[in-house]
Amino acid sequence: MFHFEEKPKAGGGAGGGPGEGAQGRGQPLDTKLYRRRWVIVFLFSSYSLCNAFQWIQYGIINNIIMKYYNVASFTIDWLSMIYFVAYIPIIFPVTWLLDRKGLRVIALVGSGLNCCGAWIKIASVRPDLFAVTFFGQTVCGIAQVFILGMPSRIASVWFGANEVSTACAIAVFGNQMGVALGFLIPPIIVPNVDDLDQLTYHINIMFYGTAAVATLLFILVILVFQEKPDIPPSQAQAAILAKPMLDYSYVQSILQLIKNMPFFLLVVTYGINTGSYYAVSTLLNKMVLTHYPGEELNAGRIGLTIVVAGMVGSIICGIWLDKTRTYKQTTSVVYFLAFTGMVTFTFTLNLGHLWVVFLTAGMLG
């Protein structure tokens, strides 16, 4: 594995294990930041990008995929919705595995399933093999469950106390960049032509390119991705490692969270906010083409505008939260902006001016 080191942070030496003899004396536990942490978070961000790209690559060219496989538009929508359906039953066992087996196992399974799903799709490029492409997308949807829960864990295990929100933002940035590329690239690679042989050729290009990237990233995860640093990056992480696992109950932690009203409210409001975003992303092709026929390329560009604006906000919020720790206030502002952006986008979509749609899409993002 790649190995980069920096000098220990103040308050801890490089010698000895984390907290060796320090807790009893009330002294700071040993902590250390490794430059390798940036390799870990960017590698995760990259295979998260690849998975997110595969989520929306069908939806943004809904009318073309519908014509190629000769299925209904709602059936194509399921290629997006399967990601969310897969998430619901699998998220709890996956988070339990993350707690018990750690980052490396979850990273290997997530990137491996993402790679496997991409190669299954290559075998589906024939008009009578929609079931195969749906199966490949389902595998990618399962892979997503092994991806979405990792940013906060990577941030806490590898990054210092003042870097956690920024590290989370970088990890999430990859997922959003994948959605952005998923909006932008498929309409360019797969044109709206009637010749099925030409469509087969262009869809093959998209799928082979995706599979090549997914395979490269899976190999890099095998070679590079490390479970945790030898010495923890923060006092909080060092204290967690010093605490016996016998004191921890996964089921009990879930029950405590369910009983926590602020956490429950956050789950509900975040679900509404994110659900609206996913609904717009899934149906964007149909929404744009209903009012602007023949604008497949611009439908992708409008989606790109939404996501790029959101990525800028994500990075800004990450930096802002690390400096101010104003979590509730920032969340309230973001939700208010999302609400006003959604209302504006909804009531200006049918005005007949694409530039207005681009403007309001940026506001929504």
Side-chain angles (χ1 to χ4, degrees):
M1 295 184 180
F2 296 156
H3 187 76
F4 307 104
E5 294 189 5
E6 289 180 359
K7 294 180 180 179
K9 294 173 63 179
E20 185 177 338
Q23 277 184 304
R25 300 191 302 270
Q27 296 177 0
L29 302 171
D30 290 343
T31 61
K32 183 177 181 180
L33 287 177
Y34 293 80
R35 288 194 292 270
R36 189 190 316 137
R37 69 193 187 278
W38 299 109
V39 176
I40 298 295
V41 74
F42 279 111
L43 179 56
F44 166 79
S45 189
S46 297
Y47 76 77
S48 176
L49 179 156
C50 183
N51 182 260
F53 175 87
Q54 295 197 76
W55 164 58
I56 204 63
Q57 68 180 161
Y58 293 103
I60 197 57
I61 51 174
N62 182 295
N63 57 317
I64 300 172
I65 299 297
M66 179 177 67
K67 176 172 59 179
Y68 183 75
Y69 286 109
N70 193 28
V71 294
S73 176
F74 182 69
T75 305
I76 303 301
D77 292 339
W78 267 101
L79 290 169
S80 170
M81 292 189 290
I82 193 61
Y83 265 56
F84 316 128
V85 173
Y87 188 89
I88 295 170
I90 302 175
I91 181 59
F92 287 109
V94 169
T95 52
W96 180 84
L97 278 175
L98 181 58
D99 277 344
R100 292 297 174 180
K101 301 299 181 180
L103 286 170
R104 179 170 167 81
V105 170
I106 300 301
L108 286 170
V109 175
S111 58
L113 287 172
N114 184 62
C115 177
C116 182
W119 282 102
I120 292 173
K121 290 180 187 180
I122 290 174
S124 74
V125 187
R126 208 172 72 190
D128 61 336
L129 294 179
F130 178 78
V132 178
T133 210
F134 191 88
F135 175 63
Q137 187 73 343
T138 302
V139 173
C140 292
I142 295 172
Q144 173 223 210
V145 187
F146 288 84
I147 293 171
L148 292 186
M150 288 185 67
S152 60
R153 178 63 66 89
I154 291 174
S156 63
V157 169
W158 280 95
F159 287 81
N162 293 327
E163 301 174 326
V164 170
S165 294
T166 302
C168 279
I170 293 172
V172 174
F173 182 88
N175 189 274
Q176 295 302 300
M177 178 62 77
V179 177
L181 294 176
F183 280 127
L184 179 66
I185 294 176
I188 296 174
I189 296 178
V190 185
N192 188 7
V193 295
D194 294 325
D195 189 319
L196 288 184
D197 289 335
Q198 284 193 45
L199 272 182
T200 298
Y201 170 76
H202 290 292
I203 292 172
N204 260 321
I205 290 175
M206 179 172 71
F207 284 167
Y208 270 106
T210 305
V213 172
T215 303
L216 173 63
L217 291 170
F218 180 44
I219 293 171
L220 287 174
V221 169
I222 294 172
L223 297 176
V224 175
F225 203 96
Q226 186 177 334
E227 170 65 31
K228 60 185 177 182
D230 296 329
I231 299 175
S234 65
Q235 292 292 313
Q237 191 64 24
I240 290 172
L241 293 176
K243 186 178 181 181
M245 280 297 291
L246 295 175
D247 294 345
Y248 172 77
S249 168
Y250 177 76
V251 174
Q252 188 62 34
S253 69
I254 296 296
L255 293 176
Q256 287 176 347
L257 286 172
I258 292 174
K259 295 175 183 177
N260 187 306
M261 184 54 66
F263 177 80
F264 183 76
L265 288 173
L266 186 62
V267 168
V268 173
T269 56
Y270 179 79
I272 294 171
N273 200 35
T274 307
S276 300
Y277 161 68
Y278 286 144
V280 169
S281 299
T282 299
L283 301 175
L284 186 61
N285 173 271
K286 286 189 282 188
M287 288 192 293
V288 172
L289 295 186
T290 297
H291 300 289
Y292 307 91
E295 294 289 353
E296 288 90 359
L297 276 174
N298 276 320
R301 291 165 183 161
I302 289 167
L304 176 69
T305 301
I306 293 174
V307 178
V308 169
M311 287 191 298
V312 173
S314 176
I315 295 298
I316 291 173
C317 283
I319 296 171
W320 172 259
L321 288 174
D322 273 336
K323 292 183 178 297
T324 67
R325 309 297 174 93
T326 54
Y327 297 103
K328 179 179 178 179
Q329 296 89 329
T330 303
T331 300
S332 300
V333 170
V334 169
Y335 283 3
F336 176 76
L337 291 175
F339 169 72
T340 55
M342 189 71 245
V343 170
T344 305
F345 179 79
T346 301
F347 288 99
T348 57
L349 184 61
N350 62 350
L351 294 181
H353 302 291
L354 267 175
W355 69 268
V356 175
V357 181
F358 274 97
L359 181 64
T360 56
M363 291 174 58
L364 176 59

